[in-house]
């Protein structure tokens, strides 16, 4: 599914000190990294659809952060060499 | 009650549309969990609202439809919020649902002060004659207001059996006979219960009235510590398939066999995995036959002395079990101590915490990501544990996200961009809910901020400037699944 990621710049607003931009409410700014997660606005706000098992959405997010932190640490190690 | 045989099908989740739209017609039934799609407006007289346009699109699909409730179970002593009946009826009527079902569990109780609390997890009802009476009252209070036949789903129960309770099969049989309703037989649940030390599948099936089984649920699960979880995570375990194969010829009133998978597992399992499950179910469906009255799959069990009330009332059971899940440490009596020593209680607390966090993540992903990037793991886990202890769960993800945001605001953390990000994501929820665009301020370029977090990087030293971001509602995206990773 195509998630809009661009933020349209309101050029007229550049005349003032406040920059006005537009952001879609369901922007996926991390589409490339997070494409393995199915997201849908349809079930985002309602009842959770399973209440006796294991919801892994948080585990997926934590693994993503751990992987990214390890990658960053690894890059820093390389830079020190 | 004679149930029309509909065939094999799937619980609808976003991403399965290619299977529902496939011209081969392999998926014959679409089961909808309507509450998953409800919008919640707590300040309105009717707080639960269907997305009618979406329901109509589902109705246009060629499958027969059934309705499966997920938020307002009927196994406890508390009758669920009566305001959920109207949108439930609306969903049934819009989809022309053949029957409706709900879980034979409870998810509401009261705290020590008598305030209503939601448990955040399906919990087993008290399996005594008093528990049967309570469940029957609750079931009939709901089923009597619905225009279609009603069935209750057999649940998982991770707890150790307690002294004096009926077996799971006896309890189910007594409830459905008293309430005169059908059974949604979740074979994976029953098999999980056996694996986790409760009644065997064979004993359970020998005790329930097989002619009341309207529907079978099949699903995959996973090992988690010492337990087998009803995770809806992929392949149906072969022993569950074999039980279905043995059983189905003896179900004279079977209307459907339905496969369930959670959306988070679909990318890993793939549409072809779900399609395999559909093929397996067709194989099972072909095992049906005209059952003879003398047919019997199991030797009738020896008559057992039914449990007598053990002094517990359903209300007390529900309050004490809920307290152990929500307010650990309150050991006021023998039952509470016994529950506290059951490792399943700690398991449920852990699963409950993950459910709650997942509900928050689905709405506040960038704020949570910034928190995780800014705090070490132990500090983040402590923050989450304190949040879960400070506030009881909510069945609606939108409320859980609001409560978490309120909690974080009160902490007044010195994490750059955290509060403007929270403000943006909370506002985006409102925009999605009512379709009205809104604006929020940022002190840096929101595109750079969000893209940095999107890469999993901590935003540091971004240029400061005043921005006003207009958050626009999403275009309706229905049946767009081409980016699913299979």
């Amino acid at each position: 599914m195509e998630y809009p990621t661009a933020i349209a710049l309101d050029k007229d607003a550049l005349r003032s000190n406040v920059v006005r931009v537009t952001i879609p409410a369901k922007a996926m700014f991390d589409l490339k990294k997070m494409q393995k997660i199915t997201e849908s606005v349809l079930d985002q706000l309602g009842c959770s659809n399973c209440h006796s098992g294991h919801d892994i959405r948080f585990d997926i997010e934590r693994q993503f952060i751990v992987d990214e932190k390890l990658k960053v640490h690894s890059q820093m190690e390389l830079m020190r060499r | 009650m004679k149930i029309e045989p509909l065939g094999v099908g799937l619980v609808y989740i976003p991403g399965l549309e290619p299977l529902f739209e496939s011209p081969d017609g392999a998926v014959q039934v679409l089961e909808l969990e309507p509450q998953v799609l409800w919008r919640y407006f707590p300040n309105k007289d009717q707080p639960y609202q269907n997305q009618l346009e979406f329901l109509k699109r589902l109705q246009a699909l060629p499958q027969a439809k059934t309705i499966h409730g997920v938020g307002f179970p009927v196994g406890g002593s508390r009758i669920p919020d009566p305001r959920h009946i109207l949108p439930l009826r609306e969903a049934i009527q819009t989809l022309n649902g053949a029957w409706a079902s709900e879980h034979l569990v409870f998810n509401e109780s009261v705290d020590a002060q008598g305030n209503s609390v939601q448990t955040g997890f399906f919990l087993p009802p008290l399996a005594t004659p008093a528990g049967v009476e309570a469940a029957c009252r609750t079931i009939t209070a709901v089923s009597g207001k619905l225009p279609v036949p009603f069935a209750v789903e057999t649940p998982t129960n991770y707890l150790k059996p307690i002294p004096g309770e009926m077996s799971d099969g006896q309890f189910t049989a007594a409830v459905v006979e008293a309430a005169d309703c059908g059974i949604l037989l979740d074979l994976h649940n029953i098999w999980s219960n056996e694996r986790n030390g409760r009644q065997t599948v064979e004993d359970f099936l020998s005790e329930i009235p097989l002619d009341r089984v309207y529907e079978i649920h099949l699903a995959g699960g996973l090992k988690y510590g010492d337990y087998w979880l009803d995770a809806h995570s992929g392949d149906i375990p072969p022993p569950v398939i074999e039980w279905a194969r043995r059983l189905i010829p003896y179900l004279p009133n079977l209307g459907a066999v339905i496969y369930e998978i959670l959306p988070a597992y679909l990318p890993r399992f793939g549409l072809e995995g779900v399609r395999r499950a559909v093929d397996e179910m067709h194989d099972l469906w072909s095992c049906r036959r005209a059952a003879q009255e003398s047919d019997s799959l199991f030797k009738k069990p020896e008559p057992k002395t039914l449990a007598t009330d053990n002094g517990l009332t359903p209300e007390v059971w529900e309050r004490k079990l809920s307290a152990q899940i929500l307010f650990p440490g309150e050991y006021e009596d023998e039952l509470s101590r016994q529950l506290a020593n059951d490792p399943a209680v700690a398991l449920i607390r852990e699963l409950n915490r993950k459910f709650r966090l997942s509900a928050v993540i689905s709405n506040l992903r960038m704020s949570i990501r910034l928190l995780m990037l800014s705090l070490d793991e132990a500090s983040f886990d402590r923050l989450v544990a304190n949040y879960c202890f400070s506030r009881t769960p909510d069945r609606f993800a939108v409320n859980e996200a609001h409560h978490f945001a309120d909690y974080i605001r009160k902490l007044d953390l010195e994490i750059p961009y955290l509060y403007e990000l929270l403000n943006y994501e909370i506002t985006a929820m409102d925009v999605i809910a009512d379709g009205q665009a809104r604006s929020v301020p940022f002190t840096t370029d929101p595109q750079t901020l969000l893209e940095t977090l999107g890469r999993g990087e901590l935003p540091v030293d971004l240029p400061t400037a005043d921005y006003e971001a207009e958050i626009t509602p999403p275009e309706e995206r229905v049946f767009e699944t081409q980016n699913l990773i299979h």
Side-chain angles (χ1 to χ4, degrees), chain B residues 77-357:
Chain B
S77 63
R78 293 172 66 85
I79 293 172
D81 184 349
R83 296 174 299 178
H84 91 283
I85 296 290
L86 189 66
L88 180 58
R89 283 179 61 101
E90 184 178 58
I92 292 169
Q93 286 162 340
T94 304
L95 289 175
N96 194 24
W99 62 84
S101 56
E102 246 297 357
H103 296 79
L104 188 60
V105 295
F106 73 94
N107 70 350
E108 283 187 54
S109 185
V110 292
D111 63 15
Q113 288 73 45
N115 302 310
S116 179
V117 291
Q118 292 170 26
T119 64
F121 203 86
F122 285 166
L123 297 175
L126 179 66
T128 66
V132 171
E133 276 183 37
C136 180
R137 275 195 305 274
T138 304
I139 290 167
T140 51
V142 172
S143 65
K145 296 187 174 68
L146 301 182
V148 290
F150 189 77
V152 290
E153 177 170 347
T154 56
T156 50
N157 184 347
Y158 300 117
L159 298 175
K160 292 177 181 170
I162 63 164
E165 73 177 0
M166 303 161 82
S167 69
D168 294 343
Q170 284 175 337
F171 178 70
T172 302
V175 168
V176 297
E177 296 286 3
D180 192 19
C181 69
I183 297 173
L184 195 176
L185 177 64
D186 190 317
L187 275 175
H188 183 262
N189 284 352
I190 303 307
W191 183 73
S192 300
N193 289 345
E194 176 180 329
R195 282 197 62 157
N196 294 328
R198 293 187 67 87
Q199 189 176 31
T200 66
V201 176
E202 179 151 0
D203 284 352
F204 181 90
L205 295 178
S206 72
E207 290 180 342
I208 62 170
L210 296 182
D211 59 338
R212 286 189 182 270
V213 176
Y214 296 172
E215 178 178 340
I216 286 177
H217 269 182
L218 298 172
L222 49 81
K223 191 93 165 58
Y224 190 90
D226 294 331
Y227 291 86
W228 184 267
L229 298 186
D230 169 41
H232 299 181
S233 51
D235 278 317
I236 306 163
V240 176
I241 292 282
E242 281 314 304
W243 270 114
R245 194 183 309 284
R246 281 184 67 189
L247 179 66
I248 283 176
Y250 298 92
L251 302 180
N253 212 10
L254 182 64
V257 181
I258 302 287
Y259 172 76
E260 303 177 282
I261 185 168
L262 277 184
Y265 292 95
L266 183 57
R268 188 183 301 175
F269 192 56
L271 284 178
E272 66 274 23
V274 179
R275 179 55 211 245
R276 275 197 311 276
V278 170
D279 290 340
E280 284 179 307
M281 291 192 295
H282 274 289
D283 186 36
L284 296 172
W285 187 253
S286 69
C287 297
R288 290 182 318 129
R289 64 189 171 102
Q292 304 300 310
E293 203 158 297
S294 59
D295 276 350
S296 175
L297 174 58
F298 306 104
K299 196 174 80 173
K300 279 287 174 196
E302 295 295 320
K304 294 175 184 169
T305 306
L306 283 182
T308 53
D309 280 322
N310 53 9
L312 270 179
T313 65
E315 292 79 5
V316 169
W317 164 257
E318 291 161 19
R319 181 169 62 76
K320 291 189 175 177
L321 178 55
S322 302
Q324 289 308 313
I325 304 301
L326 301 174
F327 315 111
E330 295 182 6
Y331 310 129
E332 59 197 36
D333 60 283
E334 181 54 34
L335 175 62
S336 298
R337 270 191 293 277
Q338 185 184 337
L339 288 170
N341 289 327
D342 187 336
V345 167
L347 170 82
I348 294 170
R349 277 190 212 127
E350 167 71 7
L351 295 175
N352 209 4
R353 188 181 66 86
K354 289 192 173 182
F355 268 128
R356 299 182 67 181
L357 259 181

Side-chain angles (χ1 to χ4, degrees), chain B residues 416-428:
Chain B
Y417 313 118
L418 176 62
Y419 292 102
E420 54 199 273
L421 207 51
L422 258 185
N423 187 35
Y424 156 64
E425 291 192 300
I426 287 289
T427 307

Side-chain angles (χ1 to χ4, degrees), chain B residues 404-482:
Chain B
F404 186 80
D406 289 344
Y407 182 79
I408 295 299
R409 285 190 188 109
K410 283 178 189 157
L411 293 181
D412 200 18
L413 299 168
E414 290 185 5
I415 296 176
Y417 313 118
L418 176 62
Y419 292 102
E420 54 199 273
L421 207 51
L422 258 185
N423 187 35
Y424 156 64
E425 291 192 300
I426 287 289
T427 307
M429 287 163 48
D430 295 336
V431 172
I432 290 171
D434 67 11
Q436 301 298 311
R438 292 170 174 80
S439 293
V440 293
F442 278 95
T443 60
T444 191
D445 180 350
Q447 180 168 12
T448 305
L449 174 62
L450 292 165
E451 287 181 349
T452 303
L453 286 166
R455 293 192 297 272
E457 297 170 11
L458 190 64
V460 179
D461 296 333
L462 300 182
T464 299
D466 290 331
Y467 278 79
E468 184 176 292
E470 183 189 32
I471 307 172
T472 55
E475 293 177 15
E476 192 174 20
R477 290 181 296 104
V478 178
F479 302 171
E480 293 179 8
T481 57
Q482 53 269 40

Side-chain angles (χ1 to χ4, degrees), chain A residues 1 19 21 39 52 62, chain B residues 158 365 369 381 468 470 483:
Chain A
M1 61 191 94
V19 183
V21 296
E39 291 280 356
S52 61
R62 168 163 270 173
Chain B
Y158 300 117
R365 180 180 303 284
R369 188 172 286 189
D381 286 346
E468 184 176 292
E470 183 189 32
N483 272 13

